[in-house]
Amino acid sequence: MPETTRAMLTSGGWKDLDFGPFRKDVTIHWIRPFEDDQPGVALLKYQPGASVPRHLHEGLETILVLDGVQSDEAGDYSEGSYVVNAAGTEHSVWSKEGCVVLIQWDRPVKILEESMA
């Protein structure tokens, strides 16, 4: 896989990347999958109305919103927003209009509430 560059991501080059299943209405493109103790880095694409249920961060999570608006209980994050979620924090995530985010997880998250729908 070719190295993904900042210029490629911020200029919309992510639109040409292949995304695979992640969660209902959320797809993923792995830039660097989790390996041993190394963090995972990926792009997540949320369809309008998509959400991720409440989850626990077992390590640091950093997010850069590349397109659209991502939301959680603390607010709405539009394109260019940089969000840091510390280890031990919990939240749920959604996007009313859809969004694409660059995300890095030190450790995989633990889903706390799974929708019964």
Side-chain angles (χ1 to χ4, degrees):
M1 173 176 71
E3 195 67 29
T4 305
T5 66
R6 177 179 151 181
M8 181 271 233
L9 292 174
T10 57
S11 68
W14 54 265
K15 294 174 185 174
D16 297 325
L17 297 173
D18 292 326
F19 286 75
F22 183 67
R23 297 197 61 82
K24 184 180 183 315
D25 297 327
V26 182
T27 54
I28 190 166
H29 172 84
W30 283 104
I31 295 170
R32 293 217 184 256
F34 290 105
E35 188 175 320
D36 300 321
D37 272 349
Q38 298 301 306
V41 181
L43 296 168
L44 294 180
K45 186 188 305 181
Y46 289 69
Q47 296 302 313
S51 63
V52 174
R54 188 161 197 81
H55 54 276
L56 169 68
H57 293 278
E58 295 185 334
L60 181 70
E61 173 188 72
T62 57
I63 298 168
L64 175 63
V65 180
L66 298 175
D67 187 58
V69 178
Q70 185 184 66
S71 302
D72 67 10
E73 294 85 355
D76 300 317
Y77 311 101
S78 59
E79 183 177 329
S81 295
Y82 180 70
V83 182
V84 177
N85 293 302
T89 61
E90 300 176 9
H91 68 156
S92 54
V93 180
W94 62 90
S95 181
K96 290 181 185 175
E97 68 183 51
C99 67
V100 175
V101 301
L102 173 65
I103 188 164
Q104 178 175 323
W105 299 281
D106 281 351
R107 300 280 179 270
V109 300
K110 179 179 179 184
I111 299 297
L112 300 174
E113 297 175 3
E114 203 57 75
S115 172
M116 301 309 279

